[in-house]
Amino acid sequence: MESIAYAISGGWASGISAYGTVLIVGLVGRLGLADTPEALQRTDVLILVGVLAAIEFVADKVAYVDSLWDSVHTVIRPIIAGVLGVLIAGDASTLEQALTATLTGGLALLSHAAKAGLRLAVNTSPEPASNVGVSAAEDLSVAAVLLLAIEYPWLAAGIALVLLAITLGLAIWLLKRIRRGWHRVRDRYFADVST
């Protein structure tokens, strides 16, 4: 039953940073801190996701590059999360593996959408510090939730769901404000042009 809690935490985290999630889960298992899927602990996997996580870490801090990166990863993050869900379910029945993979992939898609929406809104800010700050907060929250899941999987799952709800709400609120602002600018522009 704890596999559901791990699926929630892993799915949410994968939607923010799939490579970082696989790297953390693999390293935690490699260091013997938790029982994680052996496939994620392999040296070749850790090197590959380590390189990709480093690239993502940098890309995520640059305005508009982060949104381009997110658009490419709209498909990649849920797929990685689904595979992670299957690996978490382990030798469970086929139905349980399918449900865990679906839950993990679905949560990854939802958290990815929230992240991408929030980043689009933050990119409209004229200063670069907000983008770096949001990215750093995402990185820290992913690491914290995944490490918390080692000892307290259900608490980590609860925190992941709360963070997902907050991010979704904030992204929707910011995007609505930006849309209203663009409509005002457009209306003023066309009012000035027509006079």
Side-chain angles (χ1 to χ4, degrees):
M1 196 63 174
E2 284 187 348
S3 65
I4 299 297
Y6 293 129
I8 292 170
S9 301
W12 169 81
S14 293
I16 306 296
S17 173
Y19 306 125
T21 300
V22 173
L23 180 63
I24 291 170
V25 171
L27 286 174
V28 162
R30 186 84 173 256
L31 296 172
L33 300 174
D35 185 26
T36 63
E38 288 184 26
L40 303 180
Q41 299 176 36
R42 293 177 24 188
T43 302
D44 57 337
V45 172
L46 290 174
I47 290 171
L48 176 64
V49 296
V51 168
L52 291 170
I55 293 168
E56 181 172 62
F57 181 82
V58 173
D60 215 31
K61 307 291 185 278
V62 180
Y64 300 107
V65 171
D66 64 336
S67 292
L68 178 63
W69 184 268
D70 284 343
S71 66
V72 170
H73 284 80
T74 300
V75 174
I76 296 170
R77 287 179 180 149
I79 289 172
I80 291 173
V83 171
L84 185 62
V86 168
L87 292 172
I88 288 170
D91 292 332
S93 69
T94 306
L95 179 59
E96 187 176 339
Q97 281 181 327
L99 290 174
T100 305
T102 303
L103 174 65
T104 310
L107 280 171
L109 184 59
L110 197 55
S111 69
H112 168 75
K115 172 191 175 162
L118 183 61
R119 285 314 188 79
L120 281 172
V122 170
N123 282 340
T124 63
S125 173
E127 42 74 39
S130 58
N131 204 17
V132 173
V134 169
S135 178
E138 289 170 352
D139 295 338
L140 290 172
S141 62
V142 164
V145 167
L146 291 173
L147 293 174
L148 182 64
I150 295 169
E151 290 294 322
Y152 306 102
W154 285 106
L155 178 60
I159 290 170
L161 291 174
V162 167
L163 289 172
L164 175 61
I166 289 169
T167 308
L168 278 171
L170 189 57
I172 291 168
W173 180 75
L174 285 171
L175 290 171
K176 282 182 180 179
R177 288 184 54 103
I178 291 167
R179 188 175 183 188
R180 257 187 266 136
W182 280 111
H183 285 297
R184 285 188 198 133
V185 168
R186 184 191 66 204
D187 292 346
R188 284 185 188 151
Y189 173 77
F190 284 120
D192 290 343
V193 170
S194 63
T195 56

